[in-house]
């Protein structure tokens, strides 16, 4: 019996060490969890998982649940990697039917998460969160609540109360974008504000928010003492295009914007907190596409040479090459190897791309070729309803 | 004014010449809006049955026109003489018994127009498959939610009579997931009852085969063409939880290829004397190493018998299998469908093109079959609301 126990202990030790040696990177994966009331009652995620990532093959493995929480579908690490902030994409946190945000302390050695606190996101169905460069505030976009909120980060890493909540108004929009694919599904009637993303620009001077409901892109300045957002500019995107996600060129002078409903990449010059359209928009779908579609994620590579977007319904990744002056051209579309890519992630070495295929319950691993096009590696990882993946430093 | 009329005449001539370029025609059936239960599977943006022209050089589909406004005609079949079309209505609201229905149409061979003859009870809720018995005297219907297989007499005028037989298999419920399903497969529905998913005559015309995707059974019957009654010949139990969904025969009728909806695997059976005998190992229709959810839909055997195709929903791909002498299959490739949720696949009569009916992308994608039988995307899409089935006119 003693011998058997010792063998087991040795095996565990050996396996653990070997696993650590082979896996040089780690990442958190956030998922959709069952929502008894809603249409996504069949979501099979359980919360936040930790995975080891083999940095030779790119394959994620050794998936384990590190935080049981409701639909942590977007999350971000603090700059020092000590804290993780995750939205809970719910609409029943409090009597106001808001969503919530959970703060976790990260155990750097094990990757374990310790829940610090949970606060209101100040709007239903939060779907995006980033940290302001000051490190003092979390920025949250609330989809159904139609708001953007600023939440104070306390010295111990926990979250305080919201210092500002912006809830844009204005006329509702039920139009379909005129440049949507033939056969695109009609957009929902009378869409109101849908906060879909909020992020600081690379200079740290501005905060940008995409409103996919009223087709507006907001630029604010954040007063780091009061935590209040002050509007600098509002850019009207094409009616019905539903600006959803965006990314900046490394120099911060160009903003790439993907429209959820027209599935097109629009490029803007970004200077003085103002957006100026650059060139014409480009479809992220194959040439001649007909039928339905909704874009989800947009990513800019660290080098700035490529832009990627995820096409749900067509279930593909569009690769764009960035030319002189930041102008993009479409290179190709690559199948995601699974249904409903909710987001894409590039690993810190810039070698691999991951497609989080929400309704296929898998993450597919791609390796970039020399031109920046993702090629499927043949590696899948089963995870229930994956939505977001964040690498640990 | 006269000049303008002249232009119109020229335009008409041009349209006629466009018509001569499109040598083939096909009907496309769709899911239509389900206002009482928008969360139901049978709910889509289609309006009924469409007729389209098909360019037999490029395979491209065009000139889509609605020829029958009907409720979710999600599967249909032409009579052997192509004079009649029989379409199920995938509903659960027909009559006091909350059944589904089947609608009979007369086909105008010149224009392709459809004239409705009558609508009858399908013998169970949510019918999803219909074929014509080899005798031409009966329509055979599989009812998914109703869990039954029905035989509907075809009258001399092409209209349908009341069911001559409804087989509703019982037996223990099944809630197991198939042991050979992909790693991470979504759990199967709890306590599945009988789910009639397909019913078809074998090539000899002697037998009728039915797939029960709920209790994992494959039934073989003989149809008495005088009484319209099915007599059971054999019942084959497929792997628990595999959900046998669609099947096809080799041209000689000696081999049956079966796709499991939940294990997403192709199983090959020898077929002789109305009995099925497993042949070799089952093969996954998904890429090697696949993890995650998936559900197979359609299975097709090429007219030559050299290839078998299946459609993978969730992975949204078409699996191509090569058939070796003796009928054993080997997987060649998976090809992206270019749209979400392929409900079915169709090969054109010239066997040059394959069509993927991508239900949730609201499109049909056109593929050309390569020398090895693998479909290659042509770049051609056609927008259609919630397409489910496509049948070529001769």
């Amino acid at each position: 019996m003693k011998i058997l126990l010792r063998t087991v202990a040795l095996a565990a030790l050996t396996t653990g060490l070997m696993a650590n040696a082979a896996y040089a990177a780690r990442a958190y994966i956030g998922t959709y969890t069952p929502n008894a009331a809603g249409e996504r009652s069949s979501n099979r995620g359980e919360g936040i998982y930790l995975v080891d990532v083999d940095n030779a093959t790119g394959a994620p493995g050794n998936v384990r649940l590190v935080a049981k929480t409701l639909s942590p579908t977007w999350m971000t690490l603090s700059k020092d990697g000590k804290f993780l902030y995750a939205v809970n994409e719910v609409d029943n946190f409090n009597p106001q039917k808001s969503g919530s945000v959970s703060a976790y302390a990260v155990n750097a050695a094990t990757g374990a998460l310790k829940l610090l606190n949970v606060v209101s996101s100040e709007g239903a169905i939060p779907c995006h969160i980033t940290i302001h460069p000051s490190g003092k505030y979390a920025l949250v976009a609330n989809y159904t609540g139609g708001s953007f909120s600023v939440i104070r980060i306390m010295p111990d890493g926990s979250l305080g109360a919201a210092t500002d909540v912006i809830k844009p108004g204005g006329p509702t929009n039920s139009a379909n974008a005129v440049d949507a694919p033939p056969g695109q599904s009609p957009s929902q009637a009378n869409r109101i504000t849908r906060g879909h993303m909020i992020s600081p620009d690379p200079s740290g001077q501005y905060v940008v928010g995409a409103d996919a409901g009223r087709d507006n892109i907001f630029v604010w300045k954040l007063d780091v003492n009061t935590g209040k957002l002050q509007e600098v500019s509002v850019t009207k995107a094409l009616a019905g295009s539903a600006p959803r996600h965006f990314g900046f060129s490394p120099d911060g002078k160009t903003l790439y914007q993907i429209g959820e409903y027209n599935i097109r990449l629009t490029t803007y010059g970004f200077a003085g907190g103002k957006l100026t359209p650059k060139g014409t928009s480009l479809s992220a779908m194959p040439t001649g596409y007909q039928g339905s579609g909704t874009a989800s994620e947009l990513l800019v590579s660290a080098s700035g040479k490529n832009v990627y977007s995820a096409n749900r319904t067509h279930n593909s990744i569009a690769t764009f090459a960035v030319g002189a002056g930041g102008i993009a051209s479409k290179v190709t579309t690559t199948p995601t190897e699974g249904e409903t890519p909710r987001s894409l992630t590039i690993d810190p070495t810039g070698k691999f791309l991951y497609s989080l295929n929400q309704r296929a319950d898998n993450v597919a691993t791609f390796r970039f070729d020399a031109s920046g096009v993702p090629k499927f590696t043949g590696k899948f990882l089963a995870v229930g309803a994956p939505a977001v993946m964040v690498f640990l430093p | 004014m006269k000049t303008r009329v002249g232009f119109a005449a020229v335009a008409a001539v041009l349209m006629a010449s466009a018509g001569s370029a499109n040598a083939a025609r096909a009907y496309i059936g769709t899911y239509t809006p389900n206002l009482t239960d928008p969360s139901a599977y049978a709910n889509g943006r289609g309006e009924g049955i469409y007729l389209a022209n098909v360019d037999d050089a490029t395979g491209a589909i065009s000139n889509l026109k609605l020829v029958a406004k009907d409720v979710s005609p999600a599967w249909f079949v032409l009579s052997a003489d192509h004079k009649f079309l029989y379409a199920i209505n995938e509903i659960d609201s027909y009559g006091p018994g909350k059944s589904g229905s089947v609608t009979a149409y007369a086909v105008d061979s010149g224009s392709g127009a459809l004239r409705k003859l009558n609508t009858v009870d399908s013998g169970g809720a949510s019918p999803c498959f219909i074929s014509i018995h080899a005798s031409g005297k009966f329509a055979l219907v599989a009812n998914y939610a109703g869990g039954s297989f029905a035989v509907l007499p075809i009258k001399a005028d092409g209209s349908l009579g009341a069911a001559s037989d409804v087989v509703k298999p019982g037996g223990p419920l099944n809630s197991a997931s198939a042991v050979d399903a992909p790693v991470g497969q979504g759990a199967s529905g709890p306590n599945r009852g009988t789910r009639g998913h397909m019913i078809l005559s074998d090539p000899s015309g002697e037998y009728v085969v039915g797939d029960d995707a709920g209790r994992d059974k494959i039934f073989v019957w003989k149809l008495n063409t005088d009484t319209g009654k099915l007599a059971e010949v054999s019942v084959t139990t497929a792997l628990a939880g595999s959900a046998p969904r669609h099947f096809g025969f080799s041209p000689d009728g000696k081999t049956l290829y079966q796709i499991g909806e939940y294990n997403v695997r192709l199983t090959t059976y020898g077929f002789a004397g109305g009995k099925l005998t497993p042949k070799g190992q089952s093969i996954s229709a998904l890429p090697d190493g696949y993890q995650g959810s998936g559900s197979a839909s359609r299975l097709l055997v090429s007219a030559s018998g050299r290839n078998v195709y299946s459609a993978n929903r969730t992975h949204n791909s078409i699996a191509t299998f090569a058939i070796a002498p003796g009928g054993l299959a080997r997987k060649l490739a998976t090809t992206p469908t270019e749209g979400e949720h392929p409900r079915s696949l169709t090969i054109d009569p010239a066997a040059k093109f394959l069509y993927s009916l991508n239900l949730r992308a609201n499109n049909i994608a056109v593929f050309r079959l390569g020398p090895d039988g693998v479909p290659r995307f042509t770049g051609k899409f056609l927008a259609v609301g919630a397409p489910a089935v496509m049948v070529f006119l001769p």
Side-chain angles (χ1 to χ4, degrees):
Chain A
M1 197 59 182
K2 208 170 181 182
I3 294 168
L4 183 61
L5 276 178
R6 204 175 287 173
T7 312
V8 171
L10 186 63
L13 189 64
T14 314
T15 312
L17 286 173
M18 281 173 62
N20 282 339
Y23 293 117
R26 292 177 301 173
Y28 292 115
I29 294 174
T31 60
Y32 279 95
T33 62
N35 178 349
E39 56 163 324
R40 290 169 179 157
S41 56
S42 60
N43 290 324
R44 290 173 49 221
E46 297 165 281
I48 302 171
Y49 297 85
L50 181 65
V51 293
D52 296 323
V53 180
D54 182 323
N55 64 357
T57 65
N62 199 17
V63 58
R64 62 259 191 212
L65 187 67
V66 288
K68 212 169 150 65
T69 184
L70 289 177
S71 290
T73 61
W74 207 267
M75 54 194 181
T76 185
L77 281 166
S78 61
K79 210 190 308 183
D80 60 10
K82 289 186 178 167
F83 302 100
L84 180 84
Y85 301 95
V87 300
N88 301 108
E89 194 176 324
V90 298
D91 57 3
N92 58 1
F93 176 70
N94 53 16
Q96 292 77 41
K97 305 263 180 207
S98 187
S100 59
V101 182
S102 296
Y104 295 93
V106 174
N107 181 318
T110 64
L113 295 178
K114 179 164 69 80
L115 182 67
L116 298 176
N117 70 336
V118 185
V119 300
S120 170
S121 67
E122 301 295 335
I125 312 290
C127 57
H128 197 264
I129 183 167
T130 53
I131 308 287
H132 186 260
S134 65
K136 292 162 87 172
Y137 300 95
L139 308 168
V140 179
N142 293 296
Y143 182 78
T144 307
S147 59
F148 301 92
S149 57
V150 183
I151 300 173
R152 194 183 296 281
I153 296 174
M154 309 307 278
D156 67 354
S158 67
L159 291 167
T163 54
D164 203 2
V165 179
I166 305 269
K167 193 169 174 173
T172 59
N173 173 33
S174 61
N176 264 0
V178 292
D179 58 4
Q184 173 66 300
S185 302
S187 71
Q188 299 141 290
N190 298 328
R191 288 179 296 128
I192 59 163
T193 295
R194 297 283 186 232
H196 225 313
M197 179 169 173
I198 182 167
S199 175
D201 81 318
S203 78
Q205 271 199 280
Y206 301 101
V207 171
V208 180
D211 170 359
R214 286 194 175 94
D215 308 307
N216 287 322
I217 306 167
F218 296 94
V219 180
W220 301 282
K221 276 200 171 194
L222 180 68
D223 182 322
V224 294
N225 294 313
T226 63
K228 300 279 182 200
L229 291 169
Q230 190 181 3
E231 194 172 291
V232 176
S233 70
V234 184
T235 301
K236 272 265 157 226
L238 183 71
S241 63
R244 188 184 200 275
H245 274 200
F246 57 84
F248 287 94
S249 60
D251 67 6
K253 291 183 180 165
T254 307
L255 182 145
Y256 301 97
Q257 162 71 60
I258 193 82
E260 181 167 350
Y261 293 166
N262 66 349
I263 321 168
R264 293 178 82 90
L265 179 76
T266 303
T267 304
Y268 294 94
F270 187 67
K274 293 204 168 67
L275 296 168
T276 313
K278 257 191 200 183
T280 53
S281 71
L282 297 172
S283 173
M285 295 295 232
T287 307
Y289 185 80
Q290 295 188 23
S292 296
T294 60
S296 56
E297 177 69 315
L298 181 135
L299 277 185
V300 182
S301 66
S303 69
K305 286 183 191 159
N306 289 104
V307 172
Y308 303 96
S309 71
N311 298 321
R312 293 176 293 192
T313 318
H314 186 250
N315 297 307
S316 63
I317 301 156
T319 301
F320 299 90
V322 175
I327 297 289
S329 60
K330 189 165 66 185
V331 179
T332 191
T333 56
T334 306
T336 51
E337 304 290 340
E339 192 158 303
T340 316
R342 174 77 185 175
S343 73
L344 307 172
T345 302
I346 297 174
D347 79 314
T349 69
K351 286 198 297 190
F352 300 103
L353 182 142
Y354 300 88
S355 183
L356 285 94
N357 299 323
Q358 182 189 342
R359 292 196 183 138
D361 300 307
N362 72 27
V363 178
T365 306
F366 299 80
R367 184 190 292 269
F368 290 115
D369 71 7
S371 62
V373 173
K375 304 284 187 199
F376 182 51
T377 61
K379 302 286 183 192
F380 290 98
L381 178 74
V383 185
V388 62
M389 181 171 180
V390 173
F391 276 82
L392 273 151
Chain B
M1 196 59 184
K2 208 170 179 181
T3 315
R4 211 177 273 179
V5 170
F7 265 115
V10 171
V13 171
L14 284 174
M15 280 174 69
S17 67
S20 69
N22 293 309
R25 292 180 301 174
Y27 291 113
I28 297 165
T30 60
Y31 282 97
T32 61
N34 185 332
L35 303 175
T36 53
D37 183 8
S39 69
Y41 183 90
N43 178 30
R45 285 170 45 208
E47 297 165 281
I49 303 172
Y50 298 85
L51 180 67
N53 293 341
V54 181
D55 183 320
D56 60 4
T58 66
I61 320 166
S62 65
N63 202 13
L64 190 72
K65 46 205 185 275
L66 186 66
V67 289
K69 214 170 149 63
D70 200 356
V71 182
S72 288
W75 207 267
F76 49 64
V77 63
L78 283 167
S79 60
D81 62 7
H82 316 113
K83 289 187 178 165
F84 303 100
L85 183 137
Y86 301 96
I88 56 99
N89 303 109
E90 194 174 322
I91 57 172
D92 55 5
S93 57
Y94 184 82
K98 305 263 179 208
S99 192
S101 61
V102 181
T103 301
Y105 294 93
V107 175
D108 181 316
S109 63
S111 67
L114 295 179
R115 183 169 56 87
K116 184 170 157 175
L117 299 175
N118 70 337
T119 300
V120 299
D121 193 315
S122 69
S126 298
C128 58
F129 195 92
I130 185 166
S131 58
I132 308 285
H133 184 256
S135 66
K137 292 164 74 175
F138 300 93
L140 308 168
V141 179
N143 293 296
Y144 183 76
S148 60
F149 301 92
V151 182
L152 306 175
I154 297 174
K155 297 180 178 170
D157 66 354
S159 68
L160 290 165
S164 56
D165 200 5
V166 177
V167 175
K168 191 169 174 173
L173 299 174
N174 174 32
S175 61
S177 279
V179 291
D180 59 3
V183 175
Q185 171 66 300
S188 67
N191 298 329
R192 288 178 292 130
T194 297
R195 297 283 185 239
H197 226 314
M198 179 169 172
I199 182 166
L200 184 72
S201 284
D202 81 319
S204 77
E206 267 199 89
Y207 301 101
V208 172
V209 180
D211 259 357
D212 170 1
R215 287 193 174 93
D216 307 307
K217 303 275 187 210
I218 306 167
F219 296 93
V220 180
W221 300 281
K222 277 201 171 194
L223 179 68
N224 181 322
T225 55
D226 296 321
T227 63
K229 300 280 182 199
L230 293 168
E232 195 173 291
V233 177
S234 71
V235 185
T236 302
T237 300
L239 182 70
S242 63
R245 188 184 196 278
H246 272 203
F247 59 87
F249 288 96
S250 60
D252 66 8
K254 291 184 182 168
T255 307
L256 181 147
Y257 300 98
Q258 166 71 63
I259 194 81
E261 180 167 351
Y262 292 164
N263 66 348
V264 201
R265 293 178 82 89
L266 178 76
T267 303
T268 304
Y269 294 93
F271 187 66
K275 292 203 168 67
L276 296 167
T277 313
K279 257 192 198 180
Q281 303 287 312
S282 72
I283 306 171
S284 172
L286 289 163
D288 292 338
Y290 184 80
Q291 295 188 20
S293 294
S295 72
S297 55
R298 183 63 169 143
L299 181 137
L300 276 185
V301 182
S302 68
S304 69
R306 285 200 292 264
N307 290 104
V308 170
Y309 303 96
S310 72
N312 298 321
R313 292 176 294 193
T314 319
H315 186 250
N316 296 306
S317 63
I318 301 155
T320 303
F321 300 91
I323 304 303
L328 281 181
R330 173 172 63 87
K331 187 167 63 186
L332 289 183
T334 57
T335 307
T337 51
E338 304 291 339
E340 191 157 304
H341 208 87
R343 173 76 185 173
S344 73
L345 307 172
T346 303
I347 296 174
D348 75 316
K352 284 200 298 191
F353 300 102
L354 182 145
Y355 298 87
S356 182
L357 285 90
N358 300 323
L359 173 58
R360 292 194 183 139
N362 297 300
N363 72 25
I364 300 176
V366 184
F367 299 81
R368 187 186 289 272
L369 297 172
D372 53 358
V374 174
R376 264 104 184 158
F377 182 50
T378 61
K380 303 283 184 193
F381 290 98
L382 177 77
V384 189
V389 62
M390 180 170 177
V391 171
F392 277 82
L393 269 158

